[in-house]
Amino acid sequence: MSIHTSKKEKRFLFTSESVAEGHSDKVCDQISDAILDAHLSIDPDAKVACECVAKTGMILLCGEITSQATVDYQQIVRETLRRIGYDDSSKGLDYKTCTVLVALEQQCKEIKQAVSHGKSDDDIGAGDQGLMFGYASDETEECMPLTILLAHKLAARIKSLERNGTWPWVRPDGKTQVTMEYKESNGAVEPIRVHTLVISVHHAPDITLQQIRKELMEKVVKEVIPEKYLDERTIYHLLPSEKFVEGGPKSDAGLTGRKIIVDTYGGWGAHGGGAFSGKDPSKVDRSAAYAARWVAKSLVKAGLCRRVLIQLSYAIGLSHPLAISVFHYGTSDRSEEELLEIVQKNFDLRLGAIIRELDLKKPIYQKTACYGHFGREEFTWERPKKLVY
């Protein structure tokens, strides 16, 4: 659907999704980041690449870790599962009885040599090649797309109603999806209304579909979505499968790094393909994506453009980005070349400088593993830099 209302203005639909803390892939993201945090809290220079696989009654950890810390992997996995709510085998996983398999090795010596041998902290080389994107749009205070913000808020609201005891029938898995109608004018986008909402909630067998739909509408939809975005044409698909008793790893295997669009901009902007969770900040997939978001948000908050996409690229062993690109969608009175100059003048995008400026050696990562890595003020990369230009 694309409705042309004028040469400069058009309307279109855009959809973003989020997933619950107990979604199989998100379980794995949280376990991977819990293990990363455990290492960084003892050894801030730990090199961690920890992947997780979840299936019925089983968690597998695999990857490469070189660290001074001694970490109890069993305890971390079980505590993470307990917090998420997997406390009974009827839910597909029980933190008390599940098997935890560990297949972790040391980081490859060749990578270590390329990254840090004979280099100062600011000049460490990237741990791999790759390309990363950062995006920002002035459509919300957070400079995030409203579609992904609302999808996260719906998922978080359901979890809070389970945690505070209001909804004892909720189980850990679940998904949300928001389709909005947008107006685009001269490259900037403005959300007009919610076109369609989808909520799939994992539930106990002893609650009726009618009751679930009523509760979701009253306690989630109406509480989370601002009234001005809902109208008589809004379409609601509340538990469209009509039943979602079997969920989690029992019905769908989980894997770290499979929710990269949920983690970022909900399909807006672009994605370089590298996942975040389980990776220490020497991995540019994570740290440079955070830096690119920091740059993008700083430009929008400075009023230099209304919407922007930043691309960075790196090579293994090299500290400086190979390329920095700025795309402003026609929303700036300055050229993209001028904005690029401002970026180069204000940001040191060497890997080591990013780690230092954004304080990325702290054990902050488990908090990022649910409800998105961006648009949340508690993270350093969400605090816009005051730009000199």
Side-chain angles (χ1 to χ4, degrees):
M1 172 182 167
S2 181
I3 312 158
H4 285 274
T5 51
S6 76
K7 274 197 171 168
K8 295 257 172 131
E9 181 184 304
K10 72 168 184 175
R11 300 217 171 188
F12 63 93
L13 300 179
F14 202 94
T15 304
S16 297
E17 70 162 350
S18 184
V19 296
E21 292 178 31
H23 182 282
S24 305
D25 296 331
K26 270 281 147 244
V27 168
C28 293
D29 286 342
Q30 290 165 88
I31 288 171
S32 290
D33 273 337
I35 285 166
L36 171 62
D37 281 354
H39 279 282
L40 292 177
S41 63
I42 297 164
D43 179 6
D45 292 308
K47 298 295 177 278
V48 178
C50 181
E51 312 293 343
C52 175
V53 182
K55 191 51 193 157
T56 315
M58 182 208 85
I59 297 290
L60 164 67
L61 302 179
C62 51
E64 301 77 43
I65 298 179
T66 298
S67 171
Q68 302 298 313
T70 303
V71 166
D72 185 342
Y73 296 120
Q74 294 271 343
Q75 194 265 331
I76 289 168
V77 169
R78 294 183 196 283
E79 175 53 31
T80 306
L81 292 173
R82 186 197 64 75
R83 193 184 46 74
I84 293 168
Y86 281 112
D87 52 14
D88 193 276
S89 54
S90 67
K91 297 179 181 179
L93 206 56
D94 183 347
Y95 76 93
K96 301 181 291 295
T97 59
C98 69
T99 302
V100 178
L101 303 171
V102 180
L104 293 165
E105 299 177 18
Q106 296 273 305
Q107 183 188 51
C108 162
K109 286 189 170 65
E110 291 170 354
I111 297 175
K112 185 183 181 204
Q113 178 83 6
V115 169
S116 54
H117 184 70
K119 294 171 182 169
S120 68
D121 278 358
D122 268 12
D123 269 318
I124 61 163
D128 199 354
Q129 69 176 45
L131 53 137
M132 305 80 209
F133 289 95
Y135 178 78
S137 164
D138 70 354
E139 68 199 75
T140 59
E141 179 59 33
E142 298 91 335
C143 292
M144 284 293 284
L146 186 59
T147 48
I148 189 72
L149 281 189
L150 292 179
H152 288 322
K153 284 178 179 173
L154 291 168
R157 173 71 177 160
I158 292 165
K159 191 62 181 175
S160 72
L161 289 167
E162 182 217 333
R163 281 214 167 105
N164 68 20
T166 306
W167 283 358
W169 51 268
V170 169
R171 287 179 170 181
D173 202 349
K175 293 182 123 175
T176 60
Q177 190 167 280
V178 178
T179 301
M180 294 206 72
E181 185 178 326
Y182 272 85
K183 178 171 76 177
E184 182 189 322
S185 184
N186 299 318
V189 295
E190 182 190 336
I192 304 298
R193 56 182 287 272
V194 172
H195 178 278
T196 304
L197 281 180
V198 184
I199 302 177
S200 291
V201 63
H202 188 199
H203 61 89
D206 55 359
I207 182 165
T208 65
L209 175 62
Q210 187 183 3
Q211 179 69 14
I212 290 171
R213 286 178 170 166
K214 180 171 176 282
E215 296 267 313
L216 283 173
M217 183 59 85
E218 287 175 7
K219 295 199 171 87
V220 177
V221 174
K222 289 181 177 171
E223 291 289 324
V224 169
I225 310 286
E227 206 179 334
K228 65 180 179 179
Y229 294 123
L230 299 174
D231 59 33
E232 69 287 347
R233 292 180 298 144
T234 300
I235 300 161
Y236 302 94
H237 295 298
L238 306 180
L239 197 59
S241 66
E242 300 189 355
K243 192 176 175 188
F244 188 1
V245 173
E246 193 174 285
K250 186 171 190 290
S251 62
D252 193 6
L255 195 60
T256 301
R258 244 188 344 204
K259 285 291 166 281
I260 60 176
I261 299 300
V262 172
D263 283 343
T264 53
Y265 308 104
W268 292 87
H271 201 296
F276 298 156
S277 289
K279 294 177 180 174
D280 75 84
S282 75
K283 279 69 172 171
V284 277
D285 277 340
R286 185 170 218 161
S287 46
Y290 291 175
R293 162 64 179 170
W294 185 41
V295 171
K297 187 174 182 181
S298 298
L299 288 172
V300 171
K301 284 295 189 187
L304 287 164
C305 50
R306 295 189 56 192
R307 190 170 160 230
V308 71
L309 181 68
I310 305 291
Q311 190 197 44
L312 304 175
S313 58
Y314 292 82
I316 187 166
L318 304 181
S319 59
H320 286 273
L322 308 180
I324 306 168
S325 308
V326 180
F327 306 95
H328 64 38
Y329 303 98
T331 66
S332 177
D333 51 15
R334 294 171 187 253
S335 70
E336 289 173 341
E337 290 76 15
E338 286 175 277
L339 290 190
L340 177 58
E341 274 182 37
I342 291 169
V343 171
Q344 288 170 325
K345 185 175 170 185
N346 285 273
F347 294 93
D348 183 348
L349 293 168
R350 290 175 298 163
L351 171 61
I354 291 169
I355 292 170
R356 172 173 48 77
E357 290 246 354
L358 296 179
D359 207 9
L360 296 182
K361 289 186 180 182
K362 293 241 166 75
I364 52 160
Y365 294 103
Q366 195 176 354
K367 282 188 295 186
T368 69
C370 279
Y371 313 119
H373 295 241
F374 305 127
R376 298 163 59 188
E377 291 302 316
E378 70 255 46
F379 302 131
T380 51
W381 52 91
E382 290 297 318
R383 294 170 206 153
K385 187 169 188 178
K386 202 157 175 47
L387 303 181
V388 178
Y389 53 92

